[in-house]
Structure formats: C-alpha cells, structure tokens
Amino acid sequence: MKKKYQVFVSSTYTDLVIARSSVIETILSLKHIPIGMENFTASNKTQWEYITNILRECDYYILIVGHRYGTINEEYGMSYTEMEFDFALSLNIPILAFVIDRDKSAPLPMADRETADHEGKLQRFINEKVRVGRINAKNWTTPDHLAALVSASLSNEIQENPRVGWVRADREDIEYLKKEIARLTAVNKALATQSSISLSEQKEPNFTVLLNGESELHLERFKISFEKEQFEHLNFEDLDTYLRKHITEEEVDRYNQMIPSHEEVHAYNQVLETYTRIQHTRFPLDIVIINDGTLKADSIYVDLEFPEEIVLLVKGTAEQLDKPIRPKHFPKDIVKEARNKMYEKIDSLIDRSFIMGQHFNVNFRPPLGINIGRLMNQNSTYNLWVDDNKVTMRLDSLLHTRQKKFDDEVELVALKQGEYEIKASVICEQYPEPKEFIIPITVTESAKEHVYEDEN
C-alpha cells in the first residue's frame, strides 16, 4: 500500500508561473499530489478560510520565493504567501523553502517590480523567517534548477520524515487493514495482560546513591600558590657585579647547558601542584546508599569510579605522602645561591635536594596514599575500601526504604575544573547482572585563593 502525499505549493503567482509549473510537474512525476492556487475553486468561504482548510490536509509544504512579496491581506497586514508559511509552521508541517538567487537570476522588468515597502517586507520575511532555524532554505536560479532541487529535497524529506499520506482504498486493502487491526488488537490485549501480571509479581531492590546529600556532586577548585620551578638562560655579562664575585663564567655555561626542556619543567610543576592540592584543598565525601525499591537486598556491592581529574583518598593518608623530590638533573639556582652566600644564609635543605634528587619521568604520577586500598570497618556488616580512583562499598543487606551512610572516611581533591561523570555500578543477590548509572560531577573555579602556611 504505497502512500501518496499531498504537497502544498506556496508562492506569488504572476512572476513565478513557469517556476510553479516546473515544481508541480516534479511532484506529479514523483507520484504525489500537488496543491496550489491553480487548484482552488469557487467557494462560499473566504479565501483565507479555504487556504487553511486545504493546508490542514497537506503532508508537506513547499515555499518558492522570487522577486515579489505578493498581495497583502489587509486584515493581517502581510502577504498571503507569508500567512501560508506561518500557518504551515504552526501545524508542524515539514517546510521545504527555495529562495531565488538574485545575483544569478534576471531581475523583473520595471513595470512588474513592487514598491520599496513591499521590497522591505520581502527581505524581512526571508531573513527573519525563511532563512532561520530548521528551515534551511536553498537558493535557485532557473525553473529547471528549482525542479531538480525540489525533487531531491522532497524525496529525502519523505524518506527521513514520513507523514500520514493517502492510501488507495481498494477492497483488498480494506480487507488487509481489517485483519491487521484485529491482529494488533489481540497483541495489545496480550501485552496488557502480561504487563499486569508482571507488575503484580515484580518486586526487587532499587538503589539511589547520594554524594554529600545530592544526586550530583559539586566541588570547588581553589586557587593555590606554590614555588614553581622556572629556568631562564643566563648571560654572565648581564649579571650584577656583586654576583659575578660568587659566580664564574664556567658555572653560567654549565647552568645553561643543564636547563631542562619545557615539558619536563611543566610536568614536575604539575606533580608539585597536585601534591600541594592534596595537602591543603581536600573535600570530605559522604556517601549514602538508599534502597528505595520493594524488596530487601542481600550481598550488596556498590562501585563508584571517579574521573582522573579527581583524586580519591582514604582519610588520614594525605599527611603520609612524601613531597616530590626535585630531579637531580635540574640545575641549581646559581643566582639564588650567590645571593645566599652574600648574606651567609645558605639553606642546607635546598642544597641537599640538589645532591640527593633523582631523575624525573615526565609520565610520573605521585603515589596518592599510603595503604590507599585498605579495608575499613573490618569484621563488620559493611566495608569500604579505595583502589586507585574507585571506591567500593559492601553491605551484608539493606531493607527496602532503608539507607546506609558512609561518612568521614573518604576525601576528594579537584585537580581541574569542568563537568565530569562518576561511573556507578550496583550488584546484589537479587540482580541477575550489575545495574550501571552515571552521577554527574561539576568542578567550578573558585574566585578565592586557599591560604595556607607553607611547610618550608
């Protein structure tokens, strides 16, 4: 039962007779039904009432825009073409619009041109309605070019957005439709019965996970200050006279040769920043697991896998982290040492770090905790442990309508602002397979700087 679609063709008339004829012939060649002012007959209804009744029965709407705005309806103050466009839009009829390319087409003779007021209304109609949003009007130059565009666009729209259309009501078609309706009615009754039985028998746990009391997690990333490594090429002649008394030209040359790459310095500074944030900008994480289903759950495991932009820590482990060691191939700050010698305030700890340092790997990531995967609340009815950036909680059981809170055990550090996802997974004896879901997490940049006392 191949459908035929009714297509409304809207445009001004006298200047587009040939173009309309080409479009109508194209629609007919596609075996569909064109409708336009050529088909209007005498009626007791007003012209606009007749047009709206026709439009309500159409499946697609084609707008052709030429050089004219057209006859204006005095009641509405706009042309019938624009009124038809607005009405089709209000009915959610798919619209295919085609606007003449004035730069490549011949202008109208002077006698056929409209007033400046009509010209302004036409341009506003094109710019504010026809070429905005999802309409995506196409340019045309000749009637043949227009016909080709209409054929391709209408065929594609019918395939992508099929409408109700019309079907020939032969006896065989009617009998087929009756049988199909009877079949679908039986299927619908069977599904309704099955659904009713399933709903009455279905009882299972259902879990909601809240982080810090919310279904989404929000963190702030404070500004921090720390002593970054910075290296600049030195020129012995540019040093102050008093510095040259404590620095030799050979030392300057050796320093310049030892300056590490920008990537190495940046990577080390990132490690140092991460360490500083872990020490001073941690957030507590409270986790609440709620069974809001209709059945008690047994042997429950809940996994929360955090993104790499968030550091996850067992509370109490951050203080046990060692500060990253300055790579030994980073040259000493000879200018700083010279000034220290001037004032006889050499910092022995800084000097030791130059001697005892180790080579730095750009891909190095500092350890995030001591015994970071340790089990909490051992020999209990519930446990919590952390493995890298995933926290796992185990509960022996949880009654429906009840909840379990894990608080004061896990801390978070936000490394980078942005919107991320926590991958959550829940499994219990009553589930044939894990249920997975996403918890959104948003990290915003705080305008405030976190103030802390540097350990050095």
Side-chain angles (χ1 to χ4, degrees), residues 336-337 340 345-354 456:
K336 183 176 181 180
E337 284 198 339
N340 287 339
K345 292 182 178 180
I346 300 175
D347 188 335
S348 59
L349 288 177
I350 294 178
D351 186 54
R352 267 203 309 276
S353 70
F354 296 149
N456 293 324

Side-chain angles (χ1 to χ4, degrees), residues 160-409:
E160 296 293 330
N161 187 13
R163 303 276 288 172
V164 175
W166 301 86
V167 178
R168 181 185 176 98
D170 291 338
R171 174 177 291 276
E172 293 180 0
D173 293 335
I174 292 173
E175 292 301 319
Y176 168 80
L177 289 173
K178 287 182 178 178
K179 292 179 181 179
E180 186 67 7
I181 290 171
R183 184 186 71 82
L184 293 174
T185 301
V187 170
N188 185 55
K189 287 182 179 179
L191 289 174
T193 303
Q194 182 180 351
S195 176
S196 176
I197 294 173
S198 298
L199 288 173
S200 63
E201 294 180 349
Q202 181 180 7
K203 283 188 175 183
E204 67 174 11
N206 186 67
F207 294 96
T208 298
V209 177
L210 301 180
L211 304 181
N212 291 348
E214 302 289 342
S215 57
E216 300 182 9
L217 186 59
H218 300 274
L219 300 175
E220 275 190 299
R221 182 179 181 271
F222 290 101
K223 296 179 180 178
I224 62 170
S225 60
F226 62 97
E227 190 173 352
K228 295 183 178 181
E229 288 288 345
Q230 297 180 358
F231 298 93
E232 294 182 4
H233 191 276
L234 298 180
N235 189 327
F236 183 78
E237 299 300 328
D238 293 336
L239 298 177
D240 293 336
T241 303
Y242 73 89
L243 288 175
R244 289 202 296 266
K245 294 180 180 179
H246 299 279
I247 302 175
T248 67
E249 193 167 353
E250 289 75 15
E251 287 176 320
V252 170
D253 291 340
R254 188 163 54 252
Y255 170 86
N256 289 334
Q257 292 173 3
M258 293 178 64
I259 292 178
S261 68
H262 171 76
E263 290 77 15
E264 288 180 300
V265 177
H266 177 69
Y268 176 70
N269 283 332
Q270 279 192 319
V271 171
L272 206 55
E273 180 182 359
T274 298
Y275 171 81
T276 307
R277 288 192 178 279
I278 290 174
Q279 295 302 315
H280 302 289
T281 63
R282 299 187 300 276
F283 291 88
L285 177 66
D286 293 336
I287 305 171
V288 177
I289 302 173
I290 304 172
N291 181 1
D292 48 15
T294 57
L295 189 69
K296 173 188 173 185
D298 299 299
S299 300
I300 309 154
Y301 286 83
V302 179
D303 290 328
L304 301 178
E305 185 175 348
F306 284 74
E308 62 181 8
E309 291 81 4
I310 307 297
V311 173
L312 193 63
L313 296 154
V314 171
K315 188 174 182 180
T317 59
E319 293 79 5
Q320 302 175 45
L321 283 173
D322 293 327
K323 185 175 181 179
I325 300 175
R326 187 180 189 272
K328 68 178 183 180
H329 65 288
F330 281 17
K332 296 182 290 185
D333 188 341
I334 57 178
V335 174
K336 183 176 181 180
E337 284 198 339
R339 290 197 179 101
N340 287 339
K341 289 177 182 179
M342 285 285 298
Y343 299 104
E344 297 181 349
K345 292 182 178 180
I346 300 175
D347 188 335
S348 59
L349 288 177
I350 294 178
D351 186 54
R352 267 203 309 276
S353 70
F354 296 149
I355 299 171
M356 299 174 63
Q358 59 185 21
H359 282 287
F360 178 71
N361 184 346
V362 173
N363 298 317
F364 168 73
R365 183 177 179 182
L368 299 182
I370 305 299
N371 295 324
I372 198 165
R374 70 183 182 188
L375 198 64
M376 308 290 291
N377 306 309
Q378 296 189 27
N379 302 319
S380 176
T381 57
Y382 63 92
N383 312 109
L384 177 148
W385 63 94
V386 175
D387 182 10
D388 196 11
N389 245 30
K390 181 171 73 174
V391 57
T392 298
M393 292 149 286
R394 185 198 64 81
L395 294 86
D396 284 352
S397 63
L398 189 62
L399 292 171
H400 58 286
T401 73
R402 301 303 297 270
Q403 65 183 39
K404 171 58 187 170
K405 185 174 184 180
F406 294 84
D407 58 353
D408 203 32
E409 295 174 359

